[in-house]
Amino acid sequence: MFIRVIILAAVLAFSAGLVIFQINKRGRGDFMIKDDNYSNAVFAGGCFWCMEAAFQTVDGVVEVISGYTGGEVENPSYTQVSSGVTGHYEAVRVVYDPEKVIYEKLLDIFWKSINPTDSGGQFNDRGPQYKTAIFYLGDGQKELAEKSRKALEDSGRFEDPIVTEIIKFEEFYPAEDYHQDFSEKNPLRYKLYKTGSGRKKFLKNTWSEDDLKEKLTSLQYRVTQEDATEIPFKNEYWDNKEEGIYVDIVSGEPLFSSLDKFESGTGWPSFTKSLKESNIVEEEDRKLGMTRTEVRSKGADSHLGHVFDDGPEPTGTRYCINSAALRFIPKDELEQEGYGEYLELFE
């Protein structure tokens, strides 16, 4: 909580002149998007900055809004909710296309983003506003939520009892504007918060290692999780010329297109630009006695490779990426794999 207060204070100081306006412009009451093509889901998993980021990169998720739910005060402010007296949870509203992602998948992401045995909050964030809950919209979601909680209880992964509640949804109030898209607007502050709060370490120790070692080959694990580099000219995609897109081997986040792939002579897949900029995170890398720019995926935090400024026009950029961090989806399989929106790139 202390780390988050410091970070939030910096954000507020930077945008002090906007805060009152942003609070006043927020919607009130039932803020659900009502569209026959989309569905809504509401989750409380502690800090909504982290829960928002967990869902934003999921293919089929249309929008994620941070806000407050489950309380007794109409249209509460962050200050009111933080006091713990309004009864609200920090939560996210996930708007999704059920043709592309099912509710069970969202439940799985939710469970793997929290500590479901913590009754006093989440990690270093303490207080009732940080407790975990699934707010169901209709009997169908309730049944699936209860089924997923029972499966987690029966899995034996946690020694302590699961305390995450399953509650009927009533109202959702969007949080102030400076809370929305926080990980995208303030990537460094978000990274420091997620690490400092203890969430990142807990999730990695609880979920990542065992699950990923089962899912990935030893090389894929070493590259994505331990920042290893594969051998040039002896990897899967360095000379692949087929049309399609490349996604994160761990999470399936869309990363690069064959349309932007070029022969760099390095022996690794090289691209002039990313397919979806918001799915790429760049970090300074001082290993090997030099300063480089590392490239990681936002959702899964997979190590992908590095980016350089010696690429061809028009971008002058060269994303040098490990094949082991990627999965290739051929153009003819985009629709059935759930990436139909990218078909138009190849028309």
Side-chain angles (χ1 to χ4, degrees):
M1 178 64 181
F2 177 71
I3 293 174
R4 189 179 185 196
V5 168
I6 293 176
I7 293 173
L8 183 60
V11 175
L12 289 175
F14 179 77
S15 57
L18 299 176
V19 171
I20 295 177
F21 169 74
Q22 290 166 342
I23 291 176
N24 289 340
K25 79 173 185 178
R26 291 189 291 127
R28 308 175 72 86
D30 185 359
F31 196 67
M32 299 295 105
I33 284 184
K34 297 177 176 63
D35 187 312
D36 291 339
N37 296 318
Y38 300 141
S39 297
N40 291 274
V42 178
F43 302 103
C47 169
F48 44 31
W49 297 347
C50 295
M51 296 308 298
E52 188 182 66
F55 289 105
Q56 280 179 326
T57 59
V58 178
D59 191 61
V61 169
V62 178
E63 184 180 30
V64 187
I65 298 291
S66 291
Y68 315 113
T69 193
E72 301 173 354
V73 176
E74 183 180 348
N75 201 32
S77 68
Y78 176 73
T79 301
Q80 290 175 304
V81 173
S82 296
S83 69
V85 300
T86 69
H88 286 88
Y89 296 69
E90 284 199 11
V92 291
R93 173 179 62 89
V94 180
V95 182
Y96 66 99
D97 183 347
E99 294 293 322
K100 294 183 178 180
V101 59
I102 58 177
Y103 185 64
E104 292 96 317
K105 172 66 174 178
L106 301 181
L107 287 168
D108 184 59
I109 293 170
F110 168 72
W111 292 121
K112 292 181 178 179
S113 301
I114 66 169
N115 176 2
T117 68
D118 190 344
S119 61
Q122 283 292 282
F123 314 104
N124 291 341
D125 291 328
R126 316 312 297 166
Q129 70 272 29
Y130 295 119
K131 293 195 301 182
T132 61
I134 300 169
F135 289 86
Y136 64 88
L137 289 81
D139 292 339
Q141 286 191 358
K142 180 183 180 182
E143 181 179 346
L144 291 172
E146 291 175 342
K147 182 179 178 180
S148 70
R149 185 174 64 182
K150 181 65 163 56
L152 187 60
E153 291 171 339
D154 294 343
S155 71
R157 186 176 290 271
F158 297 97
E159 294 183 2
D160 296 326
I162 305 299
V163 297
T164 300
E165 298 178 279
I166 298 175
I167 303 171
K168 182 179 180 181
F169 171 78
E170 297 292 342
E171 290 184 318
F172 182 91
Y173 299 99
E176 293 80 353
D177 189 64
Y178 57 84
H179 285 303
Q180 308 299 336
D181 302 314
F182 191 88
S183 65
E184 294 183 1
K185 295 175 183 175
N186 307 279
L188 178 58
R189 292 185 181 126
Y190 170 71
K191 180 181 178 181
L192 291 172
Y193 167 73
K194 187 175 181 181
T195 300
S197 70
R199 184 185 293 257
K200 182 176 180 179
K201 182 178 180 180
F202 173 87
L203 297 181
K204 182 175 183 179
N205 292 341
T206 304
W207 296 102
S208 299
E209 292 190 21
D210 291 343
D211 290 352
L212 289 178
K213 284 181 178 178
E214 290 183 11
K215 175 180 179 179
L216 305 177
T217 67
S218 60
L219 177 60
Q220 290 169 340
Y221 185 88
R222 285 190 291 111
V223 167
T224 60
Q225 306 304 305
E226 299 175 347
D227 304 347
T229 301
E230 65 194 3
I231 299 174
F233 300 105
K234 294 184 178 180
N235 52 80
E236 189 171 5
Y237 301 127
W238 76 272
D239 62 348
N240 181 35
K241 297 177 175 59
E242 192 175 354
E243 289 189 316
I245 69 171
Y246 295 83
V247 304
D248 187 310
I249 189 67
V250 175
S251 64
E253 300 164 73
L255 299 173
F256 301 99
S257 166
S258 63
L259 298 174
D260 305 309
K261 191 171 185 289
F262 70 99
E263 177 54 60
S264 65
T266 62
W268 290 287
S270 298
F271 305 87
T272 58
K273 65 179 182 179
S274 60
L275 178 60
K276 193 170 182 179
E277 188 175 345
S278 60
N279 287 352
I280 296 289
V281 176
E282 297 182 4
E283 299 183 358
E284 185 177 274
D285 177 4
R286 292 182 174 271
K287 296 189 291 290
L288 302 181
M290 65 183 78
T291 300
R292 297 179 295 171
T293 301
E294 180 190 9
V295 179
R296 306 188 72 89
S297 65
K298 180 184 176 183
D301 193 33
S302 301
H303 170 72
L304 304 176
H306 293 82
V307 60
F308 304 92
D309 59 4
D310 57 3
E313 297 299 333
T315 66
T317 300
R318 172 171 62 93
Y319 285 95
C320 187
I321 307 298
N322 289 281
S323 289
L326 305 173
R327 182 166 77 95
F328 178 68
I329 314 293
K331 177 182 67 174
D332 294 341
E333 298 177 16
L334 289 175
E335 189 72 50
Q336 67 190 62
E337 289 272 3
Y339 299 93
E341 63 191 282
Y342 297 104
L343 271 172
E344 62 183 24
L345 296 175
F346 303 97
E347 294 177 353

